[in-house]
Amino acid sequence: MNEMKDRIRNCCLEKEAAHCVSSCPFRLDIREFVPRVERGAFNLAYRFYANAVAFPRIVAEVCDERCRLDCPRNDLDGAVNLKLLEKAAVAYATRTAPNSYNMPPKDKRIAVVGGGISGLACALRLANRKYEVTVFEKSGRVGGHLWDIMSPDIFLKDIEEQFSKERYSLLLNTEVKSLDDIKKGYDAVYAATGKGGELFGLFEDAAADDVKAAAEGVFIGGSILGASSAEAVAHGLKAAALIEGYVKTGLMKEPEPHVPTRIKLDLKDVVTASPVMPSADGGYMETEARAEAARCLRCRCDSCIRSCDMMAYFQKFPKLIEEEVHITINPGTLDGNGTVATRLISTCSQCGLCGKVCPEQIDVGKFMRESHRAMREKNAMPWVFHEFWLNDMEFSRSEKAAFFYVPPSAPACRYLFFPGCQMGASNPRYVTESYRILKEHFPDTAILVTCCGAPALWSGDRSIYDGICRELEEKWRQLGMPEIIFGCPTCREMMRESLPLIKGSMISDVFHDLGIKAVVGGGQKISLFDPCAARDFPETREKVREMLMAAGYVLQPLEYEGERAKCCSWGGQISIANPPYARWLTDKRITETANPYVVYCTNCRDIFAEAGKPVRHILDLILDLGGWDERPPTYSKRRRNRELVKEDLMKELLDEDMPKDDTLPLLISKDVEEKLHREKILEDDLAFVISFCEKTGRKLADPASGHFTGYCEIGHMTCWVEYSHEGEGCRIHNAYSHRMKIELEEVWHGRKQKPDL
């Protein structure tokens, strides 16, 4: 897990600067500046720009547009004209007066040698911070080389306005020939004497790419080092920061070397838009500036948050997720209780899409899986998030549902059919009919009906999951290491990761290769929804498409399919941990197209069918089962379906009957049945509660209705049921459950009730 954390911290490119920001000498955050222009907030755009460049009117004129060379739109339709957007911010802002900061004066004196634009930028920034600043200018005017390249009406107005709220000393006609005398009276010096100016013996060669720490307390920069006009301003601002650091700490530092951005962009979905041409000389009209600003891509390495629904839902990038997970697993609170990301951890479907789209292959899903394990080992993960699913897994592996059969005539099996637990839960015929076909073509095919252990892995219980994997591998080796025919893509993906020696293919692959055809489509338009667990199995995805097209269906692609397939909301079994997110996720999936879906994962089929989406499993089309609008079974019915799978297989293959079920018959209306399903209350649990109440007499009677109400603790839950006797069974009128323990109910544990109760 530590390796994953380090990878997120060191390799995630979310905070990398955009190309334009990286090439800008001011590191102006274009992603913050451009949206202000786009929405017409020119005052806000101006203030943001002025804070970054110190002299907005000057810099807008002298900007050498290095950003345009690096704009990703260059190769598409033309770079965004940021210089004209800067000019628009200056032109259309109505509040340009600088802010006044009521700060106490500093007791440090700074000398700036040179009244050109670089020296003035340094002086302005230090004056903003209330240092005592003196500017020495050998000529009779400020501005330096700006007099040669622009109208003084522009730069003198900008200089006057930006200094209007600040106090500083300006000494004109004062040439500094040596720094020795000045250094005695000042705490630091910035030498910005302009192109061809005095170097004071600090350098033999004036060429440099950035501000230099020239001597103790002395910094040098600007045009004298070969900087362009815009760079000279940036040098002055950097020098101010270095000087402030020096007078505070006594340490002489130079600017951090510029490291080019590592940002990586995926531009395949970018819509082309031609550059906006200005209708007036020298700049944009307001509407033109807003239109050009809208072309900016706000470049950011955000493939993960654009593709991953969980990150998009919470608006959290991998680095923030890692930070919150870290403080949840390693809380710093006095009571040792960190719950910042508990629900977040349990909301990840662990589908792997983030790792596919990330240019650095950072798989947040695997990190969340390990985080889940760490939380569970600390006994810090809420049991309610996963108890239902773990109980369901145990039922699938119990004598009631698990089934293993090896054809007696086969010395070793070529194939093992592994339908998983959810395939038969959805429809028993998916398993029984598929196995009959396999037996017809491959008589030596064995069958193992059980759970692959995914709920244990998703819940962070690695010990249970590893034990299940060992059992599966042992059975596989006993059979002679056959090829496995999977009914469930999740089972296949689980074994690919945890049991890589086991090879196999999907049942749909086998039926395709056998030439078994789907029900004729007659030109019906559909979309094939690839399960996220099939992300790394392109041959399966292709074969299902071939079967559907051969049957006459017209396939219309989804935005996210193939190896970019998204989770239906089943992965990670997140519906209890975060029901609103699970519903939101399902709604997103079913509204991606109006077309009916064909799926080859029963979990996807049942999730979509319950949400009202017309959907059929590929086996529905092959075996001619069900319809487009067939509702999925309830959770209680899913358990019964698994029992039916075992009953049918035992009868057909072994000519044996399952032991008679003596469960109390329950009579349940449709409305109550839907409530039980929605709240994940099983009919078996209600029968257990009623039996307990009847056996112990611990129930309340309502004389008016003749109903009884009783409760019983099942696992961590307390289940309540309102019932009445009807014939040989019981009528269920209402039921609910909650996370609650009723103290002193020792009778449940087989101990004598305390006399004071």
Side-chain angles (χ1 to χ4, degrees), residues 57-325:
R57 291 182 176 83
I58 295 172
V59 175
E61 291 293 329
V62 302
C63 174
D64 42 20
E65 302 184 271
R66 298 183 181 184
C67 52
R68 295 194 71 177
L69 299 176
D70 294 327
C71 179
R73 277 200 177 274
N74 260 325
D75 298 327
L76 296 174
D77 43 32
V80 176
N81 197 326
L82 288 172
K83 182 170 183 174
L84 290 187
L85 295 183
E86 293 165 13
K87 287 188 173 184
V90 172
Y92 301 120
T94 58
R95 296 194 299 273
T96 60
N99 294 327
S100 177
Y101 299 102
N102 186 18
M103 298 170 59
K106 306 289 197 309
D107 62 352
K108 302 295 183 181
R109 304 181 70 226
I110 315 298
V112 176
V113 181
I117 192 60
S118 187
L120 291 175
C122 180
L124 176 62
R125 189 54 50 88
L126 291 170
N128 290 155
R129 294 168 183 172
K130 308 310 176 186
Y131 287 95
E132 185 179 340
V133 181
T134 301
V135 177
F136 297 86
E137 168 55 41
K138 71 176 181 179
S139 71
R141 60 189 185 183
V142 296
H145 73 279
L146 294 182
W147 289 89
D148 301 324
I149 61 175
M150 72 172 67
S151 168
D153 292 339
I154 297 175
F155 68 82
L156 290 180
K157 177 182 178 181
D158 204 10
I159 293 169
E160 180 182 1
E161 186 172 52
Q162 301 310 319
F163 275 103
S164 62
K165 304 288 179 66
E166 307 301 342
R167 297 179 59 185
Y168 78 111
S169 298
L170 174 62
L171 303 179
L172 298 175
N173 301 307
T174 305
E175 183 176 4
V176 176
K177 295 184 178 180
S178 172
L179 295 181
D180 292 339
D181 294 336
I182 291 181
K183 288 170 64 177
K184 294 177 182 178
Y186 293 89
D187 296 286
V189 178
Y190 177 52
T193 53
K195 186 177 181 179
E198 179 61 55
L199 286 171
F200 303 109
L202 299 173
F203 292 100
E204 294 182 4
D205 182 3
D209 57 359
D210 213 336
V211 179
K212 293 296 180 183
E216 185 66 27
V218 178
F219 299 84
I220 189 168
S223 301
I224 193 172
L225 299 184
S228 66
S229 299
E231 286 177 317
V233 179
H235 278 200
L237 300 178
K238 290 179 184 179
L242 294 173
I243 287 172
E244 185 170 33
Y246 171 71
V247 297
K248 286 181 176 180
T249 67
L251 299 176
M252 289 290 292
K253 293 183 178 180
E254 293 188 348
E256 294 292 331
H258 174 54
V259 178
T261 181
R262 298 181 298 147
I263 193 171
K264 297 178 182 178
L265 303 175
D266 184 356
L267 302 178
K268 64 176 179 296
D269 295 328
V270 175
V271 178
T272 58
S274 299
V276 177
M277 304 307 295
S279 58
D281 292 339
Y284 285 132
M285 304 296 287
E286 289 189 37
T287 54
E288 293 169 340
R290 296 179 66 177
E292 180 67 2
R295 296 181 61 243
C296 180
L297 301 177
R298 281 73 152 170
C299 295
R300 190 174 193 173
C301 188
D302 60 355
S303 294
C304 56
I305 205 167
R306 285 189 290 110
S307 301
C308 171
D309 292 302
M310 186 269 290
M311 294 189 208
Y313 184 83
F314 289 103
Q315 282 298 295
K316 292 179 180 179
F317 281 87
K319 284 191 174 182
L320 180 56
I321 290 174
E322 186 277 324
E323 290 172 6
E324 293 188 354
V325 168

Side-chain angles (χ1 to χ4, degrees), residues 422 425-426 601-611 615 632-633 638:
Q422 298 301 324
S426 179
C601 170
T602 55
N603 297 325
C604 295
R605 194 212 81 86
D606 292 348
I607 288 287
F608 295 152
E610 185 170 351
V615 59
R638 296 178 78 84

Side-chain angles (χ1 to χ4, degrees), residues 543-556:
K543 286 180 179 180
V544 174
R545 284 167 170 77
E546 290 176 2
M547 293 177 74
L548 292 171
M549 290 187 290
Y553 293 93
V554 178
L555 270 64
Q556 296 187 332

Side-chain angles (χ1 to χ4, degrees), residues 320-441:
L320 180 56
I321 290 174
E322 186 277 324
E323 290 172 6
E324 293 188 354
V325 168
H326 177 78
I327 62 175
T328 301
I329 297 175
N330 306 286
T333 55
L334 293 177
D335 61 0
N337 179 26
T339 60
V340 175
T342 303
R343 194 177 301 276
L344 176 66
I345 293 170
S346 299
T347 301
C348 178
S349 63
Q350 305 174 25
C351 72
L353 177 58
C354 54
K356 287 292 183 183
V357 300
C358 174
E360 298 295 313
Q361 288 80 52
I362 296 173
D363 193 330
V364 175
K366 288 185 177 179
F367 171 70
M368 295 298 239
R369 179 179 295 175
E370 289 303 303
S371 303
H372 224 130
R373 178 189 58 76
M375 289 288 285
R376 192 170 185 88
E377 288 178 355
K378 292 178 59 178
N379 199 29
M381 183 59 69
W383 58 265
V384 70
F385 288 174
H386 296 288
E387 184 180 54
F388 180 86
W389 306 116
L390 292 173
N391 289 341
D392 193 60
M393 179 187 74
E394 285 306 307
F395 178 85
S396 300
R397 290 168 42 76
S398 71
E399 287 296 320
K400 289 188 174 183
F403 182 75
F404 183 39
Y405 172 78
V406 181
S409 60
C413 298
R414 275 192 302 164
Y415 300 103
L416 169 64
F417 182 36
F418 190 89
C421 60
Q422 298 301 324
M423 188 178 184
S426 179
N427 188 334
R429 295 182 65 188
Y430 287 157
V431 177
T432 56
E433 296 293 332
S434 295
Y435 188 52
R436 288 191 188 105
I437 295 174
L438 291 174
K439 288 275 288 177
E440 289 174 6
H441 291 84

Side-chain angles (χ1 to χ4, degrees), residues 414-418 448 452 465 468-486 491-506 537 539:
R414 275 192 302 164
Y415 300 103
L416 169 64
F417 182 36
F418 190 89
L448 174 59
C452 67
Y465 179 70
I468 292 173
C469 288
R470 286 193 297 270
E471 290 180 21
L472 294 176
E473 183 176 13
E474 183 179 348
K475 282 187 169 63
W476 173 71
R477 291 186 181 278
Q478 288 174 0
L479 293 173
M481 298 188 291
E483 179 180 339
I484 293 189
I485 299 173
F486 293 98
C491 295
R492 187 185 189 188
E493 173 63 13
M494 291 290 157
M495 290 197 193
R496 183 185 73 88
E497 287 189 11
S498 303
L499 299 170
L501 291 178
I502 296 180
K503 307 300 180 184
S505 55
M506 288 295 296
F537 302 105
E539 73 287 350

Side-chain angles (χ1 to χ4, degrees), residues 570-688:
W570 180 266
Q573 295 181 319
I574 60 179
S575 60
I576 295 178
N578 199 334
Y581 171 73
R583 290 192 295 269
W584 174 82
L585 190 59
T586 302
D587 288 342
K588 283 196 69 176
R589 294 293 86 82
I590 65 176
T591 55
E592 289 178 7
T593 178
N595 294 337
Y597 282 163
V598 172
V599 300
Y600 45 104
C601 170
T602 55
N603 297 325
C604 295
R605 194 212 81 86
D606 292 348
I607 288 287
F608 295 152
E610 185 170 351
K613 179 72 173 179
V615 59
R616 295 182 79 178
H617 193 281
I618 186 64
L619 291 179
D620 290 325
L621 302 179
I622 292 173
L623 305 175
D624 197 13
L625 303 174
W628 291 104
D629 298 315
E630 184 167 325
R631 300 287 290 180
T634 64
Y635 288 112
S636 293
K637 180 63 174 174
R638 296 178 78 84
R639 285 202 169 188
R640 179 57 184 151
N641 282 347
R642 293 185 194 124
E643 293 175 326
L644 289 174
V645 170
K646 183 169 185 177
E647 288 178 15
D648 291 347
L649 291 174
M650 284 185 64
K651 189 66 177 177
E652 180 174 341
L653 301 173
L654 304 175
D655 194 25
E656 295 179 6
D657 294 320
M658 285 280 287
K660 186 177 180 181
D661 187 359
D662 58 356
T663 303
L664 179 70
L666 301 181
L667 305 172
I668 304 175
S669 68
K670 190 69 175 176
D671 289 344
V672 174
E673 184 182 71
E674 289 178 357
K675 177 186 178 183
L676 297 178
H677 175 69
R678 186 171 59 251
E679 298 183 9
K680 296 180 176 61
I681 301 173
L682 299 173
E683 295 174 17
D684 288 348
D685 292 341
L686 300 185
F688 181 84

